[in-house]
Amino acid sequence: MVNRFAVIVGLVTVTLLGCALTPPTAHQGRAVPTTAAEEKPIVTASPYAYAHYMRARLHLLHMRLKDAETEFRLAIFYDPSSSYLFTALGEMYGRMGRLVEALSVAQKAVDLDPTSAEARLLAARVHQARHDIRRAEDGYRKVLDLDGKLE
């Protein structure tokens, strides 16, 4: 009789290797053609960006901050238009006390997606940590303004 555990491990391994060995397609990380009825193009993120993002999160769990930074940077390399990735990197910088870099990355995230409450909130928190209360307050007000526009 076949061991169920061995079968499951085999299936998971084949699935993961199949995904890892699949060459990138022409549309990864780019807007996919849409129909005329759609208002916005569907944007797909690069699977490489996602893989590096997940590795960065794993490094953060184990407090390997330099490795996490490298993985975040690689994720951004594969998906440079992702406000979410810049926000995640900025949050890490903020926790490390690297406030100048955190602010720079947070501003880049806001520039990429002005409707991202997470990016604006990060920028406001960094301003507050830098004791720039006026800019922090402006940032928090913009987040509140966004909240009303997003409903």
Side-chain angles (χ1 to χ4, degrees):
M1 185 165 169
V2 178
N3 185 346
R4 286 187 196 181
F5 180 73
V7 171
I8 292 171
V9 168
L11 289 173
V12 169
T13 302
V14 169
T15 301
L16 291 176
L17 283 176
C19 292
L21 297 176
T22 304
T25 63
H27 293 296
Q28 287 178 338
R30 297 191 184 106
V32 176
T34 60
T35 64
E38 294 175 330
E39 292 180 20
K40 291 184 177 181
I42 299 170
V43 178
T44 59
S46 163
Y48 299 111
Y50 182 74
H52 286 292
Y53 168 77
M54 292 309 297
R55 285 187 192 113
R57 288 290 179 197
L58 286 172
H59 287 307
L60 285 176
L61 282 175
H62 297 287
M63 297 304 294
R64 294 188 300 254
L65 301 178
K66 190 65 178 164
D67 292 334
E69 179 182 11
T70 300
E71 292 295 338
F72 276 131
R73 290 282 178 195
L74 284 168
I76 289 168
F77 173 79
Y78 284 108
D79 191 0
S81 63
S82 173
S83 173
Y84 185 81
L85 293 175
F86 280 96
T87 301
L89 178 61
E91 287 173 353
M92 186 192 77
Y93 283 152
R95 289 185 186 132
M96 293 170 66
R98 294 166 59 178
L99 299 180
V100 172
E101 289 149 309
L103 185 58
S104 173
V105 172
Q107 190 55 53
K108 176 69 175 175
V110 170
D111 291 345
L112 286 170
D113 184 5
T115 65
S116 171
E118 293 85 6
R120 288 193 178 275
L121 187 58
L122 173 62
R125 288 193 328 248
V126 173
H127 282 301
Q128 183 177 355
R130 296 182 72 200
H131 305 288
D132 189 345
I133 303 305
R134 184 186 58 79
R135 286 189 179 164
E137 186 177 338
D138 289 345
Y140 289 130
R141 287 184 196 282
K142 288 178 182 176
V143 171
L144 289 172
D145 290 344
L146 275 178
D147 190 38
K149 292 177 184 174
L150 295 177
E151 293 181 301

Coordinates of all heavy atoms in Angstrom, one line a residue, residues 31-97:
A31 N 0.0 45.1 -18.2 CA -1.4 45.1 -18.3 C -1.8 44.1 -19.3 O -1.2 43.9 -20.4 CB -1.9 46.5 -18.7
V32 N -2.8 43.3 -19.0 CA -3.3 42.3 -19.9 C -4.4 42.9 -20.8 O -5.2 43.7 -20.3 CB -4.0 41.1 -19.1 CG1 -4.6 40.1 -20.0 CG2 -2.9 40.5 -18.2
P33 N -4.4 42.6 -22.1 CA -5.4 43.2 -23.0 C -6.8 42.9 -22.4 O -7.1 41.9 -22.0 CB -5.2 42.5 -24.3 CG -3.8 42.0 -24.3 CD -3.5 41.7 -22.8
T34 N -7.7 44.0 -22.5 CA -9.0 43.8 -22.0 C -10.0 44.1 -23.1 O -9.7 44.6 -24.1 CB -9.2 44.9 -20.8 OG1 -9.0 46.2 -21.4 CG2 -8.3 44.6 -19.7
T35 N -11.3 43.8 -22.7 CA -12.3 44.1 -23.7 C -12.7 45.6 -23.6 O -12.4 46.3 -22.6 CB -13.6 43.3 -23.4 OG1 -14.1 43.7 -22.1 CG2 -13.3 41.8 -23.4
A36 N -13.4 46.1 -24.6 CA -13.8 47.5 -24.6 C -14.7 47.9 -23.5 O -14.8 49.0 -23.0 CB -14.3 47.9 -25.9
A37 N -15.5 46.9 -23.0 CA -16.5 47.1 -22.0 C -15.9 47.4 -20.6 O -16.5 48.0 -19.7 CB -17.4 45.9 -21.9
E38 N -14.6 47.0 -20.4 CA -14.0 47.2 -19.1 C -13.4 48.6 -19.0 O -12.8 49.1 -20.0 CB -12.9 46.1 -18.9 CG -13.5 44.7 -18.7 CD -12.3 43.7 -18.6 OE1 -11.3 43.9 -19.2 OE2 -12.6 42.7 -18.0
E39 N -13.5 49.2 -17.8 CA -13.0 50.5 -17.6 C -11.5 50.6 -17.4 O -10.8 51.4 -17.9 CB -13.7 51.2 -16.4 CG -15.2 51.5 -16.7 CD -15.9 52.1 -15.5 OE1 -15.2 52.7 -14.7 OE2 -17.1 52.0 -15.4
K40 N -11.0 49.6 -16.6 CA -9.6 49.6 -16.3 C -9.0 48.3 -16.8 O -9.6 47.2 -16.7 CB -9.4 49.6 -14.8 CG -9.8 51.0 -14.1 CD -9.4 50.9 -12.7 CE -9.7 52.3 -12.0 NZ -9.3 52.2 -10.6
P41 N -7.7 48.3 -17.2 CA -7.1 47.1 -17.6 C -6.8 46.2 -16.4 O -6.6 46.7 -15.3 CB -5.8 47.6 -18.3 CG -5.5 48.9 -17.7 CD -6.9 49.5 -17.4
I42 N -6.8 44.9 -16.6 CA -6.5 44.0 -15.6 C -4.9 43.9 -15.5 O -4.3 43.7 -16.5 CB -7.0 42.6 -15.9 CG1 -8.5 42.6 -16.0 CG2 -6.6 41.6 -14.8 CD1 -9.2 41.4 -16.5
V43 N -4.4 44.1 -14.3 CA -3.0 44.1 -14.2 C -2.6 42.9 -13.4 O -3.1 42.6 -12.4 CB -2.5 45.4 -13.4 CG1 -1.0 45.4 -13.2 CG2 -2.9 46.6 -14.2
T44 N -1.6 42.2 -14.0 CA -1.1 41.0 -13.2 C 0.3 41.3 -12.7 O 1.1 41.8 -13.4 CB -1.1 39.8 -14.2 OG1 -0.2 40.1 -15.3 CG2 -2.5 39.4 -14.7
A45 N 0.5 40.9 -11.5 CA 1.8 41.0 -10.9 C 2.7 39.9 -11.3 O 2.2 38.8 -11.6 CB 1.7 41.1 -9.4
S46 N 4.0 40.1 -11.4 CA 4.9 39.1 -11.7 C 5.0 38.0 -10.6 O 5.0 38.4 -9.5 CB 6.3 39.7 -11.9 OG 7.3 38.7 -11.8
P47 N 5.0 36.8 -11.0 CA 5.1 35.7 -10.0 C 6.4 35.8 -9.3 O 6.6 35.4 -8.1 CB 4.9 34.4 -10.7 CG 5.1 34.7 -12.1 CD 4.8 36.2 -12.3
Y48 N 7.4 36.3 -10.0 CA 8.8 36.5 -9.4 C 8.7 37.5 -8.2 O 9.3 37.4 -7.2 CB 9.8 36.9 -10.4 CG 10.0 35.9 -11.5 CD1 9.5 36.1 -12.8 CD2 10.5 34.6 -11.2 CE1 9.7 35.2 -13.8 CE2 10.6 33.7 -12.2 CZ 10.2 34.0 -13.5 OH 10.3 33.0 -14.5
A49 N 8.0 38.6 -8.5 CA 7.8 39.6 -7.4 C 7.1 39.0 -6.2 O 7.6 39.3 -5.1 CB 7.0 40.8 -8.0
Y50 N 6.1 38.2 -6.4 CA 5.4 37.6 -5.3 C 6.3 36.7 -4.6 O 6.3 36.6 -3.3 CB 4.1 36.9 -5.8 CG 3.3 36.2 -4.8 CD1 2.5 37.0 -3.9 CD2 3.4 34.9 -4.5 CE1 1.8 36.4 -2.9 CE2 2.6 34.3 -3.5 CZ 1.8 35.1 -2.7 OH 1.1 34.5 -1.7
A51 N 7.1 35.9 -5.3 CA 8.0 34.9 -4.6 C 9.0 35.7 -3.8 O 9.3 35.3 -2.6 CB 8.7 34.1 -5.7
H52 N 9.6 36.7 -4.3 CA 10.6 37.5 -3.5 C 9.9 38.2 -2.3 O 10.5 38.3 -1.2 CB 11.3 38.5 -4.4 CG 12.3 37.9 -5.3 ND1 13.4 37.3 -4.9 CD2 12.3 37.7 -6.7 CE1 14.1 36.8 -5.9 NE2 13.4 37.0 -7.0
Y53 N 8.7 38.7 -2.5 CA 7.9 39.3 -1.4 C 7.7 38.3 -0.3 O 7.9 38.6 0.9 CB 6.6 39.8 -1.9 CG 5.7 40.2 -0.8 CD1 5.9 41.4 -0.1 CD2 4.6 39.4 -0.4 CE1 5.0 41.7 1.0 CE2 3.8 39.7 0.6 CZ 4.0 40.9 1.3 OH 3.2 41.2 2.4
M54 N 7.3 37.1 -0.6 CA 7.1 36.0 0.4 C 8.4 35.6 1.1 O 8.4 35.4 2.3 CB 6.4 34.8 -0.2 CG 5.0 35.1 -0.7 SD 4.0 35.8 0.6 CE 3.9 34.6 1.8
R55 N 9.5 35.6 0.3 CA 10.8 35.3 0.9 C 11.2 36.4 1.9 O 11.7 36.2 3.0 CB 11.9 35.2 -0.1 CG 11.8 33.9 -0.9 CD 13.0 33.7 -1.8 NE 12.8 32.6 -2.7 CZ 12.6 32.7 -4.0 NH1 12.7 33.9 -4.6 NH2 12.4 31.7 -4.7
A56 N 10.9 37.7 1.5 CA 11.2 38.8 2.4 C 10.4 38.7 3.7 O 10.9 38.9 4.8 CB 10.8 40.1 1.7
R57 N 9.1 38.3 3.6 CA 8.3 38.1 4.8 C 8.9 37.0 5.7 O 8.9 37.1 6.9 CB 6.9 37.8 4.5 CG 6.1 39.0 3.9 CD 5.9 39.9 5.0 NE 5.2 41.1 4.6 CZ 5.2 42.3 5.2 NH1 5.7 42.4 6.4 NH2 4.5 43.3 4.7
L58 N 9.4 35.9 5.1 CA 10.0 34.8 5.9 C 11.2 35.3 6.6 O 11.5 35.0 7.8 CB 10.3 33.6 5.0 CG 9.1 32.8 4.5 CD1 9.5 31.8 3.5 CD2 8.5 32.1 5.7
H59 N 12.0 36.1 5.9 CA 13.3 36.6 6.5 C 12.9 37.5 7.7 O 13.6 37.5 8.7 CB 14.1 37.4 5.5 CG 14.8 36.5 4.5 ND1 15.6 35.5 4.9 CD2 14.9 36.5 3.2 CE1 16.1 34.9 3.8 NE2 15.7 35.5 2.8
L60 N 11.8 38.3 7.5 CA 11.4 39.2 8.6 C 11.0 38.4 9.9 O 11.2 38.8 11.0 CB 10.2 40.1 8.2 CG 10.6 41.3 7.3 CD1 9.3 42.0 6.9 CD2 11.5 42.2 8.0
L61 N 10.3 37.2 9.6 CA 9.9 36.4 10.7 C 11.1 35.9 11.6 O 11.0 35.7 12.8 CB 9.2 35.1 10.2 CG 7.7 35.3 9.8 CD1 7.2 34.0 9.2 CD2 6.9 35.7 11.0
H62 N 12.2 35.7 10.9 CA 13.5 35.3 11.6 C 14.4 36.4 11.8 O 15.6 36.1 12.2 CB 14.1 34.2 10.7 CG 13.3 33.0 10.5 ND1 13.0 32.1 11.6 CD2 12.5 32.5 9.5 CE1 12.2 31.1 11.1 NE2 11.9 31.4 9.9
M63 N 14.0 37.6 11.7 CA 14.7 38.8 12.0 C 16.0 38.9 11.2 O 17.0 39.5 11.6 CB 15.1 38.9 13.5 CG 13.8 39.0 14.4 SD 12.8 40.5 13.9 CE 13.9 41.8 14.4
R64 N 16.0 38.4 10.0 CA 17.1 38.5 9.0 C 16.8 39.8 8.1 O 16.4 39.6 7.0 CB 17.3 37.3 8.2 CG 17.7 36.1 9.1 CD 18.1 34.9 8.2 NE 17.0 34.4 7.4 CZ 16.3 33.3 7.7 NH1 16.5 32.6 8.7 NH2 15.3 32.9 6.9
L65 N 17.1 40.9 8.7 CA 16.6 42.2 8.1 C 17.3 42.5 6.8 O 16.7 43.0 5.8 CB 16.8 43.3 9.1 CG 16.0 43.1 10.4 CD1 16.2 44.3 11.3 CD2 14.5 43.0 10.1
K66 N 18.6 42.2 6.7 CA 19.4 42.5 5.5 C 18.9 41.6 4.3 O 18.7 42.1 3.2 CB 20.9 42.3 5.7 CG 21.7 42.8 4.6 CD 21.6 44.3 4.5 CE 22.5 44.8 3.4 NZ 22.2 46.2 2.9
D67 N 18.6 40.3 4.7 CA 18.1 39.4 3.6 C 16.7 39.9 3.2 O 16.3 39.8 2.0 CB 18.1 38.0 4.2 CG 19.5 37.4 4.4 OD1 20.4 37.9 3.7 OD2 19.6 36.5 5.2
A68 N 15.9 40.3 4.2 CA 14.5 40.8 3.9 C 14.6 42.0 3.0 O 13.8 42.1 2.0 CB 13.8 41.1 5.2
E69 N 15.5 42.9 3.3 CA 15.6 44.1 2.4 C 16.0 43.7 1.0 O 15.4 44.2 0.0 CB 16.7 45.0 3.0 CG 16.9 46.3 2.1 CD 18.0 47.2 2.7 OE1 18.7 46.8 3.6 OE2 18.0 48.3 2.2
T70 N 16.9 42.8 0.9 CA 17.3 42.3 -0.5 C 16.1 41.7 -1.2 O 15.9 42.0 -2.4 CB 18.5 41.3 -0.4 OG1 19.6 41.9 0.3 CG2 18.9 40.8 -1.7
E71 N 15.4 40.9 -0.5 CA 14.2 40.3 -1.2 C 13.1 41.3 -1.6 O 12.5 41.2 -2.6 CB 13.6 39.1 -0.3 CG 14.5 38.0 -0.2 CD 14.8 37.2 -1.5 OE1 14.0 37.3 -2.4 OE2 15.8 36.5 -1.5
F72 N 12.9 42.3 -0.7 CA 11.9 43.3 -1.0 C 12.4 44.1 -2.3 O 11.6 44.4 -3.2 CB 11.8 44.3 0.1 CG 10.7 43.9 1.2 CD1 11.1 43.9 2.5 CD2 9.5 43.5 0.8 CE1 10.2 43.5 3.5 CE2 8.6 43.1 1.8 CZ 8.9 43.1 3.1
R73 N 13.7 44.4 -2.3 CA 14.2 45.1 -3.5 C 14.1 44.3 -4.8 O 13.8 44.8 -5.8 CB 15.7 45.5 -3.2 CG 15.9 46.5 -2.2 CD 15.6 47.9 -2.8 NE 15.7 48.9 -1.8 CZ 15.2 50.1 -2.0 NH1 14.6 50.4 -3.1 NH2 15.4 51.1 -1.1
L74 N 14.3 43.0 -4.7 CA 14.1 42.1 -5.8 C 12.7 42.1 -6.3 O 12.4 42.1 -7.4 CB 14.7 40.7 -5.5 CG 16.2 40.6 -5.6 CD1 16.6 39.2 -5.0 CD2 16.7 40.7 -7.0
A75 N 11.8 42.0 -5.3 CA 10.3 42.0 -5.6 C 10.0 43.3 -6.3 O 9.3 43.3 -7.4 CB 9.5 41.9 -4.3
I76 N 10.5 44.4 -5.9 CA 10.3 45.7 -6.5 C 10.9 45.7 -7.9 O 10.3 46.3 -8.9 CB 10.8 46.9 -5.7 CG1 9.9 47.0 -4.4 CG2 10.9 48.2 -6.4 CD1 10.4 47.9 -3.3
F77 N 12.0 45.1 -8.1 CA 12.6 45.0 -9.4 C 11.7 44.4 -10.4 O 11.5 44.8 -11.6 CB 14.0 44.2 -9.4 CG 14.6 44.0 -10.7 CD1 15.3 44.9 -11.3 CD2 14.4 42.7 -11.3 CE1 15.9 44.7 -12.6 CE2 15.0 42.5 -12.6 CZ 15.7 43.5 -13.2
Y78 N 11.0 43.3 -10.0 CA 10.1 42.6 -10.9 C 8.7 43.2 -11.0 O 8.0 42.9 -11.9 CB 9.9 41.1 -10.4 CG 11.2 40.3 -10.7 CD1 12.0 39.8 -9.8 CD2 11.4 39.9 -12.1 CE1 13.1 39.1 -10.1 CE2 12.5 39.2 -12.4 CZ 13.4 38.7 -11.4 OH 14.5 38.0 -11.7
D79 N 8.4 44.1 -10.0 CA 7.1 44.8 -10.1 C 7.3 46.2 -9.6 O 6.8 46.5 -8.5 CB 6.0 44.0 -9.3 CG 4.6 44.6 -9.6 OD1 4.5 45.5 -10.4 OD2 3.7 44.0 -8.9
P80 N 7.9 47.0 -10.4 CA 8.2 48.4 -9.9 C 7.0 49.3 -9.8 O 7.2 50.4 -9.3 CB 9.2 48.9 -11.0 CG 8.9 48.1 -12.2 CD 8.5 46.8 -11.7
S81 N 5.9 48.9 -10.2 CA 4.7 49.7 -10.2 C 3.8 49.4 -9.0 O 2.7 49.9 -8.8 CB 3.9 49.6 -11.4 OG 3.4 48.3 -11.6
S82 N 4.3 48.5 -8.1 CA 3.5 48.1 -6.9 C 3.7 49.0 -5.7 O 4.7 48.9 -5.1 CB 3.9 46.6 -6.6 OG 3.2 46.3 -5.4
S83 N 2.7 49.7 -5.4 CA 2.7 50.6 -4.2 C 2.8 49.7 -3.0 O 3.4 50.0 -2.0 CB 1.4 51.4 -4.2 OG 1.3 52.1 -3.0
Y84 N 2.1 48.5 -3.1 CA 2.1 47.6 -1.9 C 3.5 47.2 -1.5 O 3.9 47.1 -0.3 CB 1.2 46.4 -2.2 CG 1.1 45.5 -1.1 CD1 0.1 45.7 -0.1 CD2 1.9 44.3 -1.0 CE1 0.0 44.9 1.0 CE2 1.7 43.5 0.1 CZ 0.8 43.8 1.1 OH 0.6 42.9 2.2
L85 N 4.4 46.9 -2.5 CA 5.7 46.4 -2.2 C 6.5 47.5 -1.6 O 7.3 47.3 -0.7 CB 6.4 45.9 -3.5 CG 5.8 44.6 -4.1 CD1 6.5 44.3 -5.4 CD2 6.0 43.5 -3.1
F86 N 6.4 48.7 -2.2 CA 7.1 49.9 -1.6 C 6.7 50.2 -0.1 O 7.5 50.5 0.7 CB 6.9 51.1 -2.5 CG 7.8 51.2 -3.7 CD1 7.4 50.7 -4.9 CD2 9.1 51.6 -3.6 CE1 8.2 50.7 -6.0 CE2 10.0 51.6 -4.7 CZ 9.5 51.2 -5.9
T87 N 5.4 50.0 0.1 CA 4.8 50.2 1.4 C 5.4 49.2 2.4 O 5.8 49.5 3.5 CB 3.3 50.1 1.4 OG1 2.8 51.1 0.6 CG2 2.7 50.4 2.8
A88 N 5.5 47.9 2.0 CA 6.1 46.9 2.8 C 7.5 47.2 3.2 O 8.0 47.0 4.3 CB 5.9 45.5 2.2
L89 N 8.3 47.6 2.2 CA 9.7 47.9 2.4 C 9.8 49.1 3.4 O 10.6 49.1 4.3 CB 10.4 48.2 1.1 CG 11.9 48.6 1.2 CD1 12.7 47.5 1.8 CD2 12.4 49.0 -0.2
G90 N 9.0 50.1 3.2 CA 9.0 51.3 4.0 C 8.6 50.9 5.5 O 9.2 51.5 6.4
E91 N 7.7 50.0 5.7 CA 7.3 49.6 7.0 C 8.5 48.9 7.7 O 8.8 49.2 8.9 CB 6.1 48.6 7.0 CG 4.8 49.3 6.7 CD 3.7 48.3 6.5 OE1 3.9 47.1 6.5 OE2 2.6 48.8 6.4
M92 N 9.2 48.1 6.9 CA 10.4 47.5 7.5 C 11.5 48.5 7.9 O 12.0 48.5 9.0 CB 11.0 46.5 6.5 CG 12.2 45.7 7.1 SD 13.1 44.8 5.9 CE 14.1 46.1 5.2
Y93 N 11.7 49.5 7.0 CA 12.7 50.6 7.3 C 12.2 51.3 8.6 O 13.1 51.7 9.4 CB 12.8 51.5 6.1 CG 13.6 51.0 5.0 CD1 13.4 51.5 3.7 CD2 14.7 50.2 5.2 CE1 14.2 51.1 2.6 CE2 15.5 49.7 4.1 CZ 15.2 50.2 2.8 OH 16.0 49.8 1.8
G94 N 10.9 51.6 8.7 CA 10.5 52.3 9.8 C 10.7 51.6 11.1 O 11.1 52.1 12.1
R95 N 10.5 50.2 11.1 CA 10.7 49.4 12.3 C 12.2 49.4 12.6 O 12.6 49.2 13.8 CB 10.2 48.0 12.1 CG 8.7 48.0 12.1 CD 8.2 46.6 12.0 NE 6.7 46.6 11.8 CZ 6.0 45.9 10.9 NH1 6.7 45.1 10.1 NH2 4.7 46.0 10.9
M96 N 13.1 49.5 11.6 CA 14.5 49.5 11.9 C 15.0 50.8 12.3 O 16.2 51.0 12.7 CB 15.2 49.1 10.6 CG 14.9 47.7 10.1 SD 15.6 47.3 8.5 CE 17.3 47.4 8.7
G97 N 14.2 51.9 12.3 CA 14.6 53.2 12.7 C 15.3 54.0 11.5 O 15.8 55.0 11.7

